[in-house]
Every structure is written in C-alpha cells, then in structure tokens.
Amino acid sequence: MTGVEQGRTDEALRALAEPRRRAIVRVLAAGELPVGRLAEQFDVTRSAVSQHLRVLEDAGLVTHRRDGTRNLYRTRPDGLVPLRRFLEETWAASLDAARRVVEQGAGTSDEEEHHERPTG
C-alpha cells in the first residue's frame, strides 16, 4: 500500500469510526439525497448532519452536487477502494497466519508439502 493509499485509508477509518457517519453512508448507499431529507432520518439537527457530511466528503467517501439551492449527496464507491484493499490484505494475512497455526498443530508445513519424501 502506498503512502497516499495509507493516508486515504486512515482518513476513511477515522471518518467511519463515528456510528452516525456509518449510518449516513448506509443511507446514501441506497441513493442520492438532499441534506434536509437525510437529516429527517436522524435525531440530530440539519447542521450536525452537514458537519458529518463534510467529514465524509473530506475522507473521499461521499460527494455532492448542487441542484438549484439544494446540495444532493451520494456515496463515492471509489472512495472505499483503499479501505477495501486494506481490509482484504489484512484478512488475507490473518487467514494465512491461521493456516500456519493449524498446519503447525497438525505437524505439516509448506516446506514438507513441496519436498518429495524418500521412498524406501
């Protein structure tokens, strides 16, 4: 993972650490919404939702466009790419470590599987 990707991953993790922001991303994943309609789904002010949206936008997770006087927000699927890559790499490494533990417990290893055993 490059330094830029690591920075984006860190930003995404920080943004999504707050439960309400995760909920906002879930709602926006279903489709584009104006701030007012989005705020109706939460027990906070429209201003608070706007602040959450700014954090999510700064992290590259959502984007907005203007339609007259309204700001319409939607998720940015490509904003999740660095986070997804991080999770996939971490998951793969964890599975590999678990496989090694199991193989050690069973008395096998990659080296044993790749060497021919003498017959005799």
PDB file of all heavy atoms in Angstrom, residues 81-94:
ATOM      1  N   VAL A  81     -12.268   2.237  -2.073  1.00  0.00           N
ATOM      2  CA  VAL A  81     -11.268   1.316  -2.632  1.00  0.00           C
ATOM      3  C   VAL A  81     -10.054   1.139  -1.712  1.00  0.00           C
ATOM      4  O   VAL A  81      -9.677   0.000  -1.412  1.00  0.00           O
ATOM      5  CB  VAL A  81     -10.853   1.742  -4.060  1.00  0.00           C
ATOM      6  CG1 VAL A  81      -9.641   0.966  -4.548  1.00  0.00           C
ATOM      7  CG2 VAL A  81     -12.023   1.557  -5.012  1.00  0.00           C
ATOM      8  N   PRO A  82      -9.418   2.216  -1.240  1.00  0.00           N
ATOM      9  CA  PRO A  82      -8.258   1.997  -0.353  1.00  0.00           C
ATOM     10  C   PRO A  82      -8.628   1.256   0.935  1.00  0.00           C
ATOM     11  O   PRO A  82      -7.880   0.393   1.383  1.00  0.00           O
ATOM     12  CB  PRO A  82      -7.761   3.413  -0.039  1.00  0.00           C
ATOM     13  CG  PRO A  82      -8.277   4.261  -1.140  1.00  0.00           C
ATOM     14  CD  PRO A  82      -9.592   3.637  -1.536  1.00  0.00           C
ATOM     15  N   LEU A  83      -9.785   1.563   1.494  1.00  0.00           N
ATOM     16  CA  LEU A  83     -10.229   0.886   2.715  1.00  0.00           C
ATOM     17  C   LEU A  83     -10.507  -0.586   2.432  1.00  0.00           C
ATOM     18  O   LEU A  83     -10.088  -1.460   3.198  1.00  0.00           O
ATOM     19  CB  LEU A  83     -11.477   1.562   3.270  1.00  0.00           C
ATOM     20  CG  LEU A  83     -12.070   0.978   4.535  1.00  0.00           C
ATOM     21  CD1 LEU A  83     -11.040   0.967   5.661  1.00  0.00           C
ATOM     22  CD2 LEU A  83     -13.301   1.761   4.939  1.00  0.00           C
ATOM     23  N   ARG A  84     -11.154  -0.856   1.321  1.00  0.00           N
ATOM     24  CA  ARG A  84     -11.436  -2.246   0.959  1.00  0.00           C
ATOM     25  C   ARG A  84     -10.139  -3.026   0.737  1.00  0.00           C
ATOM     26  O   ARG A  84      -9.998  -4.160   1.191  1.00  0.00           O
ATOM     27  CB  ARG A  84     -12.297  -2.282  -0.297  1.00  0.00           C
ATOM     28  CG  ARG A  84     -12.694  -3.665  -0.686  1.00  0.00           C
ATOM     29  CD  ARG A  84     -13.615  -3.666  -1.863  1.00  0.00           C
ATOM     30  NE  ARG A  84     -13.927  -5.024  -2.207  1.00  0.00           N
ATOM     31  CZ  ARG A  84     -14.779  -5.374  -3.123  1.00  0.00           C
ATOM     32  NH1 ARG A  84     -15.421  -4.459  -3.796  1.00  0.00           N
ATOM     33  NH2 ARG A  84     -14.990  -6.634  -3.378  1.00  0.00           N
ATOM     34  N   ARG A  85      -9.177  -2.412   0.057  1.00  0.00           N
ATOM     35  CA  ARG A  85      -7.892  -3.069  -0.185  1.00  0.00           C
ATOM     36  C   ARG A  85      -7.194  -3.384   1.142  1.00  0.00           C
ATOM     37  O   ARG A  85      -6.670  -4.474   1.341  1.00  0.00           O
ATOM     38  CB  ARG A  85      -7.007  -2.193  -1.069  1.00  0.00           C
ATOM     39  CG  ARG A  85      -5.725  -2.869  -1.494  1.00  0.00           C
ATOM     40  CD  ARG A  85      -4.943  -2.050  -2.512  1.00  0.00           C
ATOM     41  NE  ARG A  85      -5.716  -1.956  -3.742  1.00  0.00           N
ATOM     42  CZ  ARG A  85      -5.979  -0.811  -4.382  1.00  0.00           C
ATOM     43  NH1 ARG A  85      -5.543   0.332  -3.918  1.00  0.00           N
ATOM     44  NH2 ARG A  85      -6.678  -0.810  -5.487  1.00  0.00           N
ATOM     45  N   PHE A  86      -7.229  -2.415   2.065  1.00  0.00           N
ATOM     46  CA  PHE A  86      -6.634  -2.624   3.388  1.00  0.00           C
ATOM     47  C   PHE A  86      -7.281  -3.807   4.091  1.00  0.00           C
ATOM     48  O   PHE A  86      -6.605  -4.683   4.630  1.00  0.00           O
ATOM     49  CB  PHE A  86      -6.785  -1.351   4.230  1.00  0.00           C
ATOM     50  CG  PHE A  86      -6.538  -1.560   5.697  1.00  0.00           C
ATOM     51  CD1 PHE A  86      -5.248  -1.691   6.186  1.00  0.00           C
ATOM     52  CD2 PHE A  86      -7.600  -1.635   6.586  1.00  0.00           C
ATOM     53  CE1 PHE A  86      -5.025  -1.895   7.547  1.00  0.00           C
ATOM     54  CE2 PHE A  86      -7.381  -1.834   7.936  1.00  0.00           C
ATOM     55  CZ  PHE A  86      -6.092  -1.963   8.415  1.00  0.00           C
ATOM     56  N   LEU A  87      -8.613  -3.846   4.074  1.00  0.00           N
ATOM     57  CA  LEU A  87      -9.332  -4.934   4.750  1.00  0.00           C
ATOM     58  C   LEU A  87      -9.051  -6.282   4.089  1.00  0.00           C
ATOM     59  O   LEU A  87      -8.875  -7.286   4.783  1.00  0.00           O
ATOM     60  CB  LEU A  87     -10.833  -4.642   4.772  1.00  0.00           C
ATOM     61  CG  LEU A  87     -11.253  -3.451   5.635  1.00  0.00           C
ATOM     62  CD1 LEU A  87     -12.726  -3.134   5.428  1.00  0.00           C
ATOM     63  CD2 LEU A  87     -10.933  -3.689   7.097  1.00  0.00           C
ATOM     64  N   GLU A  88      -8.998  -6.309   2.762  1.00  0.00           N
ATOM     65  CA  GLU A  88      -8.708  -7.562   2.060  1.00  0.00           C
ATOM     66  C   GLU A  88      -7.297  -8.050   2.375  1.00  0.00           C
ATOM     67  O   GLU A  88      -7.083  -9.242   2.603  1.00  0.00           O
ATOM     68  CB  GLU A  88      -8.891  -7.381   0.553  1.00  0.00           C
ATOM     69  CG  GLU A  88     -10.344  -7.282   0.150  1.00  0.00           C
ATOM     70  CD  GLU A  88     -10.541  -6.890  -1.303  1.00  0.00           C
ATOM     71  OE1 GLU A  88      -9.566  -6.524  -1.996  1.00  0.00           O
ATOM     72  OE2 GLU A  88     -11.705  -6.940  -1.756  1.00  0.00           O
ATOM     73  N   GLU A  89      -6.323  -7.128   2.384  1.00  0.00           N
ATOM     74  CA  GLU A  89      -4.948  -7.512   2.704  1.00  0.00           C
ATOM     75  C   GLU A  89      -4.841  -8.011   4.143  1.00  0.00           C
ATOM     76  O   GLU A  89      -4.179  -9.009   4.415  1.00  0.00           O
ATOM     77  CB  GLU A  89      -4.001  -6.330   2.485  1.00  0.00           C
ATOM     78  CG  GLU A  89      -3.788  -5.976   1.034  1.00  0.00           C
ATOM     79  CD  GLU A  89      -3.019  -4.675   0.847  1.00  0.00           C
ATOM     80  OE1 GLU A  89      -2.645  -4.025   1.863  1.00  0.00           O
ATOM     81  OE2 GLU A  89      -2.800  -4.296  -0.316  1.00  0.00           O
ATOM     82  N   THR A  90      -5.504  -7.318   5.055  1.00  0.00           N
ATOM     83  CA  THR A  90      -5.476  -7.707   6.458  1.00  0.00           C
ATOM     84  C   THR A  90      -6.150  -9.064   6.647  1.00  0.00           C
ATOM     85  O   THR A  90      -5.637  -9.931   7.360  1.00  0.00           O
ATOM     86  CB  THR A  90      -6.175  -6.637   7.325  1.00  0.00           C
ATOM     87  OG1 THR A  90      -5.516  -5.387   7.111  1.00  0.00           O
ATOM     88  CG2 THR A  90      -6.127  -6.991   8.789  1.00  0.00           C
ATOM     89  N   TRP A  91      -7.280  -9.264   5.984  1.00  0.00           N
ATOM     90  CA  TRP A  91      -7.999 -10.529   6.086  1.00  0.00           C
ATOM     91  C   TRP A  91      -7.154 -11.660   5.519  1.00  0.00           C
ATOM     92  O   TRP A  91      -7.043 -12.723   6.118  1.00  0.00           O
ATOM     93  CB  TRP A  91      -9.330 -10.413   5.346  1.00  0.00           C
ATOM     94  CG  TRP A  91     -10.168 -11.649   5.413  1.00  0.00           C
ATOM     95  CD1 TRP A  91     -10.458 -12.493   4.389  1.00  0.00           C
ATOM     96  CD2 TRP A  91     -10.812 -12.195   6.558  1.00  0.00           C
ATOM     97  NE1 TRP A  91     -11.247 -13.518   4.820  1.00  0.00           N
ATOM     98  CE2 TRP A  91     -11.487 -13.363   6.149  1.00  0.00           C
ATOM     99  CE3 TRP A  91     -10.888 -11.806   7.891  1.00  0.00           C
ATOM    100  CZ2 TRP A  91     -12.221 -14.151   7.034  1.00  0.00           C
ATOM    101  CZ3 TRP A  91     -11.623 -12.597   8.770  1.00  0.00           C
ATOM    102  CH2 TRP A  91     -12.278 -13.743   8.340  1.00  0.00           C
ATOM    103  N   ALA A  92      -6.533 -11.433   4.364  1.00  0.00           N
ATOM    104  CA  ALA A  92      -5.697 -12.468   3.745  1.00  0.00           C
ATOM    105  C   ALA A  92      -4.530 -12.831   4.663  1.00  0.00           C
ATOM    106  O   ALA A  92      -4.205 -14.013   4.830  1.00  0.00           O
ATOM    107  CB  ALA A  92      -5.195 -12.003   2.380  1.00  0.00           C
ATOM    108  N   ALA A  93      -3.894 -11.819   5.251  1.00  0.00           N
ATOM    109  CA  ALA A  93      -2.771 -12.083   6.155  1.00  0.00           C
ATOM    110  C   ALA A  93      -3.238 -12.861   7.386  1.00  0.00           C
ATOM    111  O   ALA A  93      -2.550 -13.783   7.847  1.00  0.00           O
ATOM    112  CB  ALA A  93      -2.104 -10.766   6.564  1.00  0.00           C
ATOM    113  N   SER A  94      -4.417 -12.515   7.910  1.00  0.00           N
ATOM    114  CA  SER A  94      -4.954 -13.224   9.075  1.00  0.00           C
ATOM    115  C   SER A  94      -5.266 -14.673   8.747  1.00  0.00           C
ATOM    116  O   SER A  94      -4.981 -15.578   9.539  1.00  0.00           O
ATOM    117  CB  SER A  94      -6.227 -12.536   9.577  1.00  0.00           C
ATOM    118  OG  SER A  94      -5.920 -11.256  10.066  1.00  0.00           O
TER     119      SER A  94
END
